[in-house]
Amino acid sequence: MNTYVSHLEAAIDGTRLDADKIQTLHADRPLWVRYDLGAIGQAVTRDDLRDRPPTLWRYRELLPLPFDHEPVTLGEGMSPVLRAERLGQSLGVADLWIKDESQLPTGSFKSRGLCMAISMAKRFGVTRVAIPTAGNAGGAMAAYAARAGMEAYVFMPKDTPVINQLECALAGAKVFLVNGLINDCGGIVKRGKEPMSWFDCSTLKEPYRIEGKKTMGLELAEQFDWKLPDVIVYPTGGGTGLIGMWKAFHELRALGWLDSDKMPRMVSVQSDGCAPIARAFDADERFASPWENAATCASGLRVPGAVGDFMILDAARESGGCAIAVPEGQIKSTMERAVSSEGIAVCPEAAACVLGVERLVREARIKPDERVVIFNTGAANKYIEAFPLDLPVITDPASLDFATIAR
Ligand SMILES: *Cc1c(COP(=O)(O)O)cnc(C)c1O
């Protein structure tokens, strides 16, 4: 058997589509990759995983790349899940964990999705890829495209963090700064697709990024010995990770690999500077209307409209979770507080999640003894523009008076 993928399925209406060729959207909405889970259950047990290399490719049966194709890989996956006791104490939760995705290739969890999208693009013979990006997705795509020997085009808002601009340029991508937001960049890729023969790596416009991001959920289950946490708090832009994890938990449950049928409550966190999902959740709507004038220092959350909005909202609701917005004005100070209390390079997006936990504990929607996992989706040090530093300078090192530097 070459793959356990049975077909692709339109998320909006369940239409079955052929998985043997390049597919994009159906009725302008994303696709699910479906597997023959019965056959996977016959072929592999959860204990078989134990001796496999610590990358996301250890879940190969649950991934779309056929077995006779080599992955395009930079060794991604198996990020640590770290206990955050001191931070948890200050938030009022005793069992707080941070899954630290900042340690992945290109410094963000985007490498999970893009290694899968690029591996599948290569399997279909693609040589030219393009992406609109708020930052990290472009960096990851550029790296994997370079790894695969493909030509890459990246379109990003002109105020995207400079580190993201640099990582794309260094990886040899053709990078363009766009006077607009990520949706304007998306419009360029959509219009250029035909004339430029691009494979469109936009969030959820090809079915495979979800499958890469899904591995966060598979890892979490394995790392917690097949007992899922009570609450997952996830910073949401396009929503791929939240959607992917929710899918992962269902696949694991269907395989009978989980010790309990109890699923985590999925909490989607956004900044109140760009919170289309939280607003739709509050209004009891299944689709989110675009956010005007999106502005947040958490660039990964600056997604005014997501094609998978209903998939995010469905997961939050089905799981008994929620979607909330936290104050933009508190994100930076919370980031400093989180990094300094745990030493984990928490990005602004994850700092928003810290604020989310704080609020849900205050409102008694998270109980003090529940196991809570926050996703640190990227590396703190990518956000240099957001933190203008004014550090003291020692002009004359030989005659430093130590009394002046004591705190
Ligand atoms: C892309 C990104 C997000 C949002 O992720 P989605 O899965 O698209 O919702 C959050 N944080 C960081 C650092 C990101 O790069």
Side-chain angles (χ1 to χ4, degrees):
M1 178 118 56
N2 243 340
T3 169
Y4 290 103
V5 174
S6 55
H7 62 284
L8 303 177
E9 180 190 312
I12 196 74
D13 62 9
T15 303
R16 277 178 82 106
L17 296 162
D18 183 358
D20 279 338
K21 59 179 195 205
I22 294 179
Q23 303 276 9
T24 54
L25 299 174
H26 176 81
D28 279 336
R29 293 293 183 171
L31 306 178
W32 297 115
V33 178
R34 294 300 184 200
Y35 298 83
D36 182 347
L37 292 171
I40 295 174
Q42 300 275 308
V44 59
T45 69
R46 66 186 199 186
D47 295 331
D48 291 336
L49 303 174
R50 220 176 282 146
D51 299 325
R52 298 186 181 179
T55 75
L56 60 75
W57 299 99
R58 67 202 271 108
Y59 307 110
R60 187 72 187 258
E61 288 84 354
L62 283 162
L63 297 175
L65 187 69
F67 296 106
D68 55 354
H69 285 74
E70 282 297 311
V72 179
T73 178
L74 295 165
E76 54 288 326
M78 270 294 157
S79 66
V81 56
L82 303 165
R83 185 85 194 268
E85 205 172 340
R86 199 174 295 120
L87 183 63
Q89 236 161 36
S90 80
L91 299 175
V93 279
D95 199 14
L96 180 69
W97 298 75
I98 296 178
K99 188 151 168 70
D100 189 10
E101 298 283 302
S102 72
Q103 302 188 23
L104 266 70
T106 70
S108 91
F109 72 152
K110 289 294 194 299
S111 48
R112 291 186 189 269
L114 272 310
C115 75
M116 207 58 63
I118 295 294
S119 293
M120 289 301 288
K122 189 173 176 204
R123 166 242 188 283
F124 286 120
V126 167
T127 56
R128 248 185 184 190
V129 291
I131 197 167
T133 178
N136 285 327
M141 190 198 76
Y144 286 99
R147 189 83 171 151
M150 290 178 190
E151 194 183 355
Y153 287 77
V154 179
F155 299 89
M156 47 175 63
K158 65 179 188 315
D159 54 352
T160 298
V162 68
I163 300 280
N164 294 127
Q165 303 177 26
L166 175 66
E167 63 192 359
C168 295
L170 280 176
K174 297 181 173 62
V175 195
F176 301 91
L177 302 179
V178 175
N179 181 21
L181 291 179
I182 187 168
N183 45 316
D184 301 300
C185 302
I188 294 177
V189 172
K190 192 172 176 181
R191 289 204 315 282
K193 225 175 122 159
E194 289 288 322
M196 299 295 289
S197 320
W198 284 332
F199 178 80
D200 184 352
C201 283
S202 303
T203 304
L204 299 178
K205 290 196 181 166
E206 52 73 50
Y208 304 112
R209 261 169 81 182
I210 296 183
E211 297 304 296
K213 290 266 190 96
K214 169 179 100 174
T215 60
M216 291 190 290
L218 302 176
E219 284 178 20
L220 200 62
E222 193 182 358
Q223 288 169 317
F224 281 134
D225 215 9
W226 308 103
K227 287 181 267 300
L228 297 176
D230 297 300
V231 185
I232 288 179
V233 187
Y234 182 83
T236 307
T240 333
L242 188 139
I243 295 166
M245 281 193 275
W246 190 236
K247 180 175 192 280
F249 300 150
H250 280 91
E251 289 174 356
L252 290 174
R253 186 157 77 175
L255 283 169
W257 288 8
L258 296 175
D259 280 352
S260 151
D261 272 353
K262 200 169 141 284
M263 297 289 227
R265 307 199 293 284
M266 306 298 287
V267 174
S268 159
V269 176
Q270 297 187 308
S271 154
D272 63 9
C274 179
I277 301 296
R279 183 171 63 185
F281 185 88
D282 285 341
D284 253 337
E285 278 162 6
R286 191 166 184 232
F287 301 96
S289 44
W291 192 268
E292 301 288 329
N293 304 317
T296 166
C297 68
S299 42
L301 307 186
R302 201 167 55 153
V303 180
V307 282
D309 50 1
F310 65 107
M311 299 156 90
I312 307 168
L313 287 158
D314 286 355
R317 290 186 178 119
E318 270 171 36
S319 69
C322 57
I324 57 173
V326 300
E328 173 66 23
Q330 293 175 24
I331 290 180
K332 281 189 215 169
S333 58
T334 304
M335 177 175 167
E336 284 166 320
R337 171 180 160 204
V339 180
S340 61
S341 68
E342 295 294 348
I344 302 168
V346 171
C347 61
E349 290 82 352
C353 293
V354 172
L355 285 165
V357 171
E358 192 164 47
R359 169 167 153 198
L360 294 174
V361 171
R362 193 170 60 232
E363 295 175 356
R365 293 154 80 188
I366 290 180
K367 293 188 213 73
D369 59 346
E370 286 189 306
R371 174 165 287 180
V372 180
V373 179
I374 286 174
F375 275 78
N376 181 35
T377 44
N381 55 13
K382 286 192 169 189
Y383 300 80
I384 46 178
E385 297 95 334
F387 293 88
L389 288 176
D390 185 20
L391 302 176
V393 176
I394 296 169
T395 38
D396 184 6
S399 60
L400 173 65
D401 173 3
F402 288 96
T404 65
I405 63 168
R407 286 220 280 165

